[in-house]
Amino acid sequence: MKVFVVGANGQIGKQIVSLLSKSDQHEVCAMVRSEEQASKYKDLGVEARVANLEGTVDRISEAMIGSDAVVFSAGSGGATGSDKTLLVDLDGAAKTIEAAEQAGVNRFIMVSAIQAHNRENWNESIKPYYVAKHYADKILVGSSLNYTIVRPGGLVNEPGRGKVTISENLERGYIPREDVANVIVAALGEEHTYRRSFDLTSGETSITEALKSF
Amino acid sequence: MKVFVVGANGQIGKQIVSLLSKSDQHEVCAMVRSEEQASKYKDLGVEARVANLEGTVDRISEAMIGSDAVVFSAGSGGATGSDKTLLVDLDGAAKTIEAAEQAGVNRFIMVSAIQAHNRENWNESIKPYYVAKHYADKILVGSSLNYTIVRPGGLVNEPGRGKVTISENLERGYIPREDVANVIVAALGEEHTYRRSFDLTSGETSITEALKSF
């Protein structure tokens, strides 16, 4: 599968690109915002295309041509305000979904946030972010795409442990970004995850097993 | 028709409540955020119920019971940041839609913004606001409700002229808030507007005629 990674310069995105570029099952195409970022990936032998989530659907769609799957791991991040949450995390995600439909790229994995589907459980301190993720996820569920929505708990930068808990509802928890990236790559071809959503934290089950049995 | 007005303390909302309270075809119930605001309306002989768009769907739904229609004219306004745009203009609108479905209130009129359906035409300076309105409108279109989405041009505080232009697409324009309120009240029972959306500006056609012929 050739996988188009949106947010390829982000903390999870970089790890996904790295895993895919080493994989013998998949190829990768990184979507980045600048020629400079593209050059860095090209120097590493990774295909990269320049497009912007604040640009047009047509441009994003064009960049996707030839890919078989999209991973959306972009996020405006904590350093910018809610303006960017609306423009990137919500509208940017919705535009990527429209672009995938337009380009005929049918497989789509969304990086969301734990309990984004349950308003009652939104973290009060980042509630506006949860609003954006909630509706982006809903738009994906309502699309024609073969989606998987991965809702990780609090992201930490420890090395991956390869052991996780996957369930439609988990109360709370943490997970290393490296394990999120591993789960996403493993989920790409795992039919049990097609058109489904799940919460994800560190746990005691191997990734392969957890993805098959939730 | 008994009409539940969300945002009844807003600039358009107040005019809608006033028109409905004088109408011999309709009754009104104003949704307000505080007991103090409710008392003010009650002193004027207007029914008012306290609920909050940042509260639960259940509470909003409960406040609607007995109404036949909802008008959503709430907005976080220019004085607050995009946090409130996400929490009120998007999530608050979506919760009101869910609440109406839950309460079995089938008729729903949304006050949106000119060209909210066309990303290409969003006013650059208030783009995050347009993102929120765009997706709130989409959620309404995807709901089971009998909706009308009214997308007025730039709002001004001049007295209403009673003459408007209504079309599925208008490039730009202005309109007095009083005329927006008049259009909404006239649209409540106008079948030609059921499950439809339109742009609205000042123009040369009477409101009744414009609502029947777009």
Side-chain angles (χ1 to χ4, degrees), chain B residues 20 29 32 51 56 67 125 137-138 143 153 159 176 182 213:
Chain B
L20 289 168
C29 177
V32 291
T56 65
S67 292
S125 66
D137 291 355
K138 277 205 161 178
S143 78
N182 276 309
S213 58

Side-chain angles (χ1 to χ4, degrees), chain A residues 54 57 82-83 85-87 90-91 94-95 98 119 122 127-128 131-132 135 138-139, chain B residues 54 57 82-83 85-87 90-91 94-95 98 119 122 127-128 131-132 135 138-139:
Chain A
E54 296 187 53
V57 171
S82 287
D83 277 24
T85 308
L86 280 154
L87 296 173
L90 177 54
D91 199 33
K95 286 195 273 192
E98 289 174 38
R119 274 195 200 100
W122 292 351
K127 213 169 170 184
V131 173
Y135 294 103
K138 277 205 159 178
I139 291 162
Chain B
E54 295 186 54
V57 171
S82 287
D83 278 22
T85 307
L86 280 153
L87 296 173
L90 176 54
D91 200 33
K95 286 195 272 193
E98 287 173 41
R119 275 195 200 99
W122 292 351
K127 213 168 170 184
V131 173
Y135 293 102
K138 277 205 161 178
I139 291 161

Side-chain angles (χ1 to χ4, degrees), chain B:
Chain B
M1 226 183 258
K2 182 164 176 181
V3 184
F4 186 78
V5 180
V6 179
N9 214 42
Q11 292 189 76
I12 294 176
K14 277 181 183 160
Q15 304 208 41
I16 295 169
V17 172
S18 167
L19 288 169
L20 289 168
S21 67
K22 291 173 201 154
S23 160
D24 45 15
Q25 290 175 63
H26 302 296
E27 290 172 82
V28 63
C29 177
M31 178 177 132
V32 291
R33 267 182 299 177
S34 69
E35 289 295 348
E36 196 193 333
Q37 291 170 347
S39 295
K40 280 190 190 164
Y41 267 133
K42 285 171 189 166
D43 291 346
L44 299 168
V46 172
E47 184 179 351
R49 296 190 187 166
V50 177
N52 193 321
L53 290 174
E54 295 186 54
T56 65
V57 171
D58 284 354
R59 179 67 201 95
I60 301 167
S61 183
E62 207 180 286
M64 275 177 198
I65 286 169
S67 292
D68 308 296
V70 173
V71 172
F72 186 91
S73 68
S76 60
T80 54
S82 287
D83 278 22
K84 290 292 181 188
T85 307
L86 280 153
L87 296 173
V88 174
D89 301 84
L90 176 54
D91 200 33
K95 286 195 272 193
T96 306
I97 293 161
E98 287 173 41
E101 287 178 318
Q102 202 169 298
V105 181
N106 189 49
R107 180 78 177 118
F108 196 113
I109 299 188
M110 173 71 88
V111 182
S112 182
I114 194 166
Q115 290 291 302
H117 59 309
N118 277 338
R119 275 195 200 99
E120 297 70 30
N121 295 339
W122 292 351
N123 183 332
E124 202 58 38
S125 66
I126 53 168
K127 213 168 170 184
Y129 171 74
Y130 263 102
V131 173
K133 297 305 283 179
H134 179 74
Y135 293 102
D137 291 355
K138 277 205 161 178
I139 291 161
L140 182 54
V141 170
S143 78
S144 62
L145 302 172
N146 176 16
Y147 67 85
T148 300
I149 298 172
V150 179
R151 299 185 304 246
L155 299 167
V156 294
N157 278 332
E158 287 164 27
R161 303 191 316 169
K163 301 277 189 176
V164 298
T165 300
I166 286 177
S167 167
E168 288 184 351
N169 279 291
L170 291 172
E171 215 163 291
R172 61 179 70 212
Y174 291 88
I175 183 162
R177 288 183 168 84
E178 191 181 337
D179 279 335
V180 177
N182 276 309
V183 164
I184 284 163
V185 172
L188 279 165
E190 174 50 62
E191 290 186 20
H192 190 66
T193 70
Y194 289 0
R195 297 198 70 80
R196 293 188 66 189
S197 310
F198 55 82
D199 287 336
L200 167 68
T201 63
S202 277
E204 300 303 330
T205 311
S206 77
I207 288 172
T208 319
E209 184 53 32
L211 281 171
K212 282 185 196 300
S213 58
F214 71 96

